[in-house]
Amino acid sequence: MRNHNLYEKVYSMDNLLLAFKKARKGKSKKLYVLEFEANFHENILKLHDELKSQTYKPEPLVNFVVKDPKTRKISKSAFRDRIVHHAIIRVIEPIFDKGFIYDSCANRVQKGTLFAIKRFELFKRKVTNNLKSEAFCFKADVKHYFQEVNQKILMEIIKRKISDEKVIWLIERILKNGGRTEARDKFTEQSTSASGSRTGVGMPLGNLTSQFFANVYLNELDYFVKHNLKAKFYIRYVDDFVILHMSKEQLEIWKKEIERFLRETLRLELHPQKSKIICLSRGIDFVGFRNFYHHNLLRKRSIRKMLYAVETYKQGGISKESLLEIFQGWQAYSKWAASYKLRRSVVKKIYSKKVN
């Protein structure tokens, strides 16, 4: 059986060592990594023993607000807990990933924003008969997604694939460390237990486990759209998704069906301002681009985010090494849009004099 003795694999020393390397990647100079490494053998053995004996308890999350430029609340786990996150994901991800649809693009090997935009280009050509006819796009966004994931429903989904009770125990420990315990339920009162307490709701934005479970949760939507609605041209990136079709009326029908499915099955709702049916010729905002028939433009938010990083560097907030790492990723991404002059302009800003 695929999930037999999974927990032993999670806390095995080989897995913990690989998880440590994953958690340390790109952060080897951080103080919390250096502190863990200073007593590495003692710390990794302690983590191993706590997991094996099921005495492991995550440390409280550190919450802070970042502006990049959009203001977001990020929850930061202790480094030892990040090792545990990598350890469990290394074991359970292959079990779930093989059941994800091909066009679930976020946080998956050999997928991502560029994969999503390539699929959008392909679907756009197919639905418009190679750009010869008009078509429409249902562009949708799940409202407050990470804050509203219902942990009880999520655990029910996970238990379909994972029967190892100790793995379930560990996942619940991680989730309870970041979710709200006094949650409102806008849809029904079914989340209230017999004891009268509310089901946990939400996952911390910033955790590796949250990114993975985000895909597990909305895989239910993916299957509904692909197998129940039988929509051919559907792409999802985390909680943003698009469906392309030649008929606006068909998309209106599907929109209502999706709203009902999210409300009744996953206790979620679409963002009313960000979920609309739009002519493809008007341009569709998706994964950082405004996608037109014959060209793409970078979204203003993506440009502002890069310029904000440059300004932060100028003010001494980040190192040049960090800025160049951000720029390299942004440059590879922005090349998919009409952005040659913009990229040259950003390079000039980076190498102009810093503010004293």
Side-chain angles (χ1 to χ4, degrees):
M1 192 173 177
R2 183 64 186 268
N3 60 8
H4 182 62
N5 293 330
L6 285 185
Y7 193 67
E8 287 82 351
K9 294 178 182 178
V10 172
Y11 71 72
S12 74
M13 192 56 71
D14 285 345
N15 191 47
L16 288 178
L17 291 173
L18 289 170
F20 163 73
K21 290 178 182 178
K22 285 272 190 179
R24 183 186 61 175
K25 187 176 181 180
K27 301 176 177 65
S28 58
K29 296 180 181 179
K30 296 287 187 180
L31 180 60
Y32 54 78
V33 176
L34 296 174
E35 288 176 347
F36 190 92
E37 289 181 320
N39 295 294
F40 178 74
H41 293 292
E42 179 182 338
N43 288 331
I44 204 75
L45 281 170
K46 183 180 179 183
L47 198 55
H48 168 81
D49 292 342
E50 288 179 8
L51 289 168
K52 185 176 181 179
S53 62
Q54 290 186 272
T55 57
Y56 166 76
K57 184 178 180 181
E59 294 182 16
L61 298 171
V62 176
N63 298 313
F64 58 96
V65 174
V66 297
K67 184 179 178 183
D68 60 350
K70 182 180 178 180
T71 301
R72 297 181 299 159
K73 177 185 172 184
I74 303 295
S75 299
K76 187 176 181 180
S77 295
F79 182 66
R80 72 192 303 268
D81 295 327
R82 283 183 247 173
I83 295 173
V84 174
H85 297 170
H86 278 280
I88 191 168
I89 296 302
R90 275 182 46 79
V91 172
I92 69 173
E93 184 176 33
I95 297 171
F96 286 93
D97 190 77
K98 67 179 183 178
F100 292 160
I101 68 167
Y102 186 73
D103 290 307
S104 168
C105 303
N107 307 308
R108 298 179 66 195
V109 177
Q110 297 183 336
K111 300 289 174 81
T113 54
L114 293 183
F115 176 87
I117 207 65
K118 288 177 184 178
R119 295 294 284 174
F120 187 92
E121 289 292 320
L122 175 65
F123 290 172
K124 179 175 68 177
R125 289 187 174 275
K126 286 187 174 183
V127 79
T128 61
N129 189 25
N130 204 26
L131 308 180
K132 294 176 182 175
S133 58
E134 182 62 279
F136 300 87
C137 177
F138 173 34
K139 168 67 175 69
D141 178 281
V142 178
K143 185 178 180 182
H144 301 152
Y145 177 50
F146 281 87
Q147 299 97 307
E148 297 298 335
V149 168
N150 185 295
Q151 292 180 11
K152 180 180 178 182
I153 296 172
L154 173 60
M155 291 309 303
E156 289 172 353
I157 295 168
I158 290 171
K159 287 175 183 177
R160 295 180 205 157
K161 298 278 188 181
I162 304 293
S163 60
D164 190 319
E165 293 183 0
K166 292 181 179 179
V167 172
I168 296 300
W169 167 83
L170 180 57
I171 292 172
E172 288 179 335
R173 283 233 149 176
I174 292 169
L175 286 173
K176 288 176 181 177
N177 193 45
R180 306 195 306 274
T181 55
E182 291 293 327
R184 56 186 170 79
D185 190 326
K186 301 183 290 298
F187 307 109
T188 72
E189 296 182 357
Q190 292 178 3
S191 67
T192 305
S193 67
S195 64
S197 62
R198 297 282 188 176
T199 302
V201 174
M203 300 187 296
L205 187 60
N207 273 3
L208 173 69
T209 47
S210 298
Q211 296 170 19
F212 174 71
F213 292 136
N215 272 345
V216 171
Y217 202 70
L218 281 184
N219 189 50
E220 302 297 300
L221 172 64
D222 297 342
Y223 270 70
F224 176 75
V225 172
K226 296 295 289 184
H227 297 285
N228 291 64
L229 302 184
K230 301 194 183 301
K232 289 184 178 180
F233 305 125
Y234 166 79
I235 311 167
R236 181 175 62 80
Y237 190 90
V238 194
D239 58 326
D240 291 337
F241 62 90
V242 292
I243 307 176
L244 281 62
H245 201 277
M246 64 182 68
S247 168
K248 184 178 181 181
E249 290 72 23
Q250 180 63 71
L251 289 176
E252 293 282 6
I253 293 169
W254 283 348
K255 180 176 184 288
K256 292 177 181 178
E257 291 290 327
I258 288 169
E259 285 174 332
R260 182 166 65 246
F261 175 83
L262 287 174
R263 181 175 63 252
E264 295 178 356
T265 305
L266 297 178
R267 305 292 185 264
L268 298 171
E269 61 181 316
L270 294 178
H271 196 296
Q273 281 77 48
K274 297 179 181 180
S275 302
K276 299 176 181 178
I277 296 169
I278 309 165
C279 292
L280 280 172
S281 59
R282 286 179 52 191
I284 308 299
D285 282 340
F286 187 53
V287 291
F289 296 94
R290 190 162 176 81
N291 303 274
F292 293 91
Y293 264 37
H294 301 286
H295 69 285
N296 295 332
L297 297 177
L298 280 173
R299 287 170 66 179
K300 291 181 180 179
R301 187 172 71 182
S302 177
I303 299 170
R304 288 198 302 266
K305 187 174 181 179
M306 185 64 239
L307 294 177
Y308 180 80
V310 174
E311 187 62 29
T312 303
Y313 160 69
K314 296 288 185 183
Q315 299 295 334
I318 59 174
S319 67
K320 190 170 187 177
E321 181 183 40
S322 296
L323 174 64
L324 291 177
E325 185 178 336
I326 293 169
F327 175 71
Q328 286 173 2
W330 179 83
Q331 184 181 41
Y333 173 79
S334 63
K335 283 180 179 178
W336 284 85
S339 63
Y340 177 72
K341 290 183 179 179
L342 172 64
R343 284 181 277 123
R344 287 190 64 185
S345 173
V346 172
V347 170
K348 288 181 181 179
K349 288 179 183 294
I350 291 172
Y351 289 99
S352 64
K353 285 187 178 181
K354 291 179 67 173
V355 177
N356 295 324

